[in-house]
Amino acid sequence: MRYFVAVGDEQHYGRAASRLGVAQPALSRQIQDLEEELGFTLFERLPRGVRLSAAGKLFLEDARRVLREVNEAAERAGRVARGRSGTLRVGFTESASWRGVVPESFRRFRELHPDADLELQPAASLEQLAALRSGRLDAGFIFNMPKGDSDFDQLPVATQQIELAVPKGHPLTKLKKLRLRALSETKFVWFPRRESPALYDRLMEACFRGGLSSPRIVQEGLNEATILSLVSAGLGVGWVLGSSRWRCPDSVVIMPVADLRLPQPQALAWRRDNRSPLLANFIAEVRRLPEVRELMKD
């Protein structure tokens, strides 16, 4: 079809062959084969050159359009193959989206891949893990990623500490160093165990070891946003990640607890059998972030 368009443009076999960089006999043979396949002539042969037939004129318009669409399709497919286009679905916990690796990775992706679609899905770590396993997510920023699962690869990206959200003006805010035993009579807004059973049990055990054997839980908060809201309303204090200070209400103070060391590792996780070039580019870009490079040194 490209040969036909060249001859149609030039109205001359010799000039068309020169333009295409092929021998004229080969070009003539291709046009004859095309006419035999179509069942009608495309050119009227003249003493000097050729002239498009009526059918040939119509066919030339469509041939140009088809070739243009083929080239565009090849370019689109090429962008996907090179990881420059397509759709990437990434999960993240809301608590990690305010500062650091997670928002920076999204910013860089949009900057470097303007033709790609980035679908962001906020979800708890356990929900992300299930979505990764089922293929509904390509990657997820997950806290406490299970080790030894052969279905997944992961890249450590950050570590956060659990701290205490306290209403501003609360007596605890006057302490120079806050310890667990000082919280024995304090009312708590606590997350439900079903949201993160492993973390819930580890936190309870750490509290017990620090002298807070039976926390006074007066209200459950489904997530950090709810806990911060309830703490702001004065219902009690609540456990949150240190990163919550970046979206903390003015009426709440985030305080470290001196004898609570419960680091929360965060990793970018993905299925090992996911061969998406776009995913591979995203992982490589996250790996290049300064915070991640620094963590990998450690």
Side-chain angles (χ1 to χ4, degrees):
M1 193 170 287
R2 284 194 297 271
Y3 287 1
F4 163 68
V5 170
V7 178
D9 288 343
E10 300 293 342
Q11 302 282 295
H12 193 279
Y13 276 95
R15 290 194 297 269
S18 177
R19 165 176 153 183
L20 294 167
V22 299
Q24 183 172 331
L27 175 60
S28 299
R29 183 68 253 177
Q30 289 289 327
I31 298 300
Q32 291 174 16
D33 289 345
L34 179 59
E35 289 177 324
E36 290 175 6
E37 184 176 345
L38 293 172
F40 53 83
T41 59
L42 297 168
F43 296 101
E44 298 173 3
R45 276 64 180 178
L46 303 175
R48 298 176 63 86
V50 293
R51 181 171 57 201
L52 284 163
S53 66
K57 290 179 181 178
L58 181 61
F59 191 66
L60 181 61
E61 294 176 9
D62 289 336
R64 285 174 175 152
R65 175 182 52 79
V66 168
L67 287 176
R68 184 171 60 252
E69 291 176 354
V70 168
N71 290 335
E72 291 172 354
E75 177 61 27
R76 288 194 299 271
R79 288 199 300 270
V80 172
R82 294 187 297 271
R84 298 300 177 190
S85 185
T87 299
L88 184 71
R89 302 159 300 169
V90 182
F92 63 97
T93 57
E94 184 191 8
S95 61
S97 66
W98 291 86
R99 187 181 176 88
V101 169
V102 174
E104 179 62 14
S105 69
F106 297 156
R107 185 194 67 78
R108 289 191 61 169
F109 182 87
R110 284 266 49 94
E111 181 181 289
L112 297 174
H113 300 84
D115 295 331
D117 292 326
L118 179 61
E119 293 184 1
L120 301 178
Q121 300 182 25
S125 292
L126 287 179
E127 294 174 357
Q128 290 185 60
L129 200 58
L132 285 172
R133 200 178 297 277
S134 68
R136 289 179 285 116
L137 282 179
D138 295 303
F141 288 98
I142 294 177
F143 282 104
N144 296 304
M145 181 68 187
K147 297 180 180 179
D149 193 322
S150 60
D151 288 341
F152 299 104
D153 272 332
Q154 58 179 290
L155 172 66
V157 297
T159 300
Q160 296 196 39
Q161 295 291 338
I162 293 179
E163 301 187 31
L164 193 67
V166 182
K168 190 171 286 186
H170 192 283
L172 291 174
T173 62
K174 297 178 174 60
L175 298 177
K176 290 185 178 180
K177 184 176 285 189
L178 179 60
R179 295 185 177 274
L180 286 167
R181 71 170 72 94
L183 304 175
S184 298
E185 301 302 319
T186 304
K187 296 178 181 179
F188 274 92
V189 178
W190 208 287
F191 62 91
R193 186 178 185 276
R194 65 179 180 277
E195 289 301 305
S196 184
L199 176 59
Y200 186 98
D201 293 343
R202 289 171 60 208
L203 183 55
M204 281 294 188
E205 181 182 354
C207 288
F208 182 84
R209 289 199 308 266
L212 180 59
S213 57
S214 183
R216 291 183 60 194
I217 301 174
V218 298
Q219 181 65 49
E220 286 191 337
L222 194 61
N223 51 43
E224 282 197 348
T226 303
I227 290 173
L228 288 170
S229 175
L230 296 176
V231 170
S232 177
L235 270 69
V237 301
W239 299 113
V240 295
L241 292 175
S243 60
S244 289
R245 57 177 36 88
W246 302 110
R247 51 119 174 221
C248 189
D250 292 338
S251 56
V252 175
V253 178
I254 305 296
M255 301 180 64
V257 179
D259 54 348
L260 179 64
R261 287 292 177 265
L262 209 58
Q264 300 300 296
Q266 185 184 27
L268 176 66
W270 64 93
R271 283 185 63 104
R272 286 182 176 174
D273 59 0
N274 189 331
R275 304 302 181 202
S276 164
L278 200 57
L279 172 62
N281 283 353
F282 182 72
I283 295 167
E285 288 151 16
V286 172
R287 200 183 299 273
R288 284 192 287 267
L289 291 174
E291 302 97 318
V292 177
R293 295 207 324 253
E294 193 64 31
L295 189 64
M296 291 171 68
K297 289 180 185 177
D298 300 337

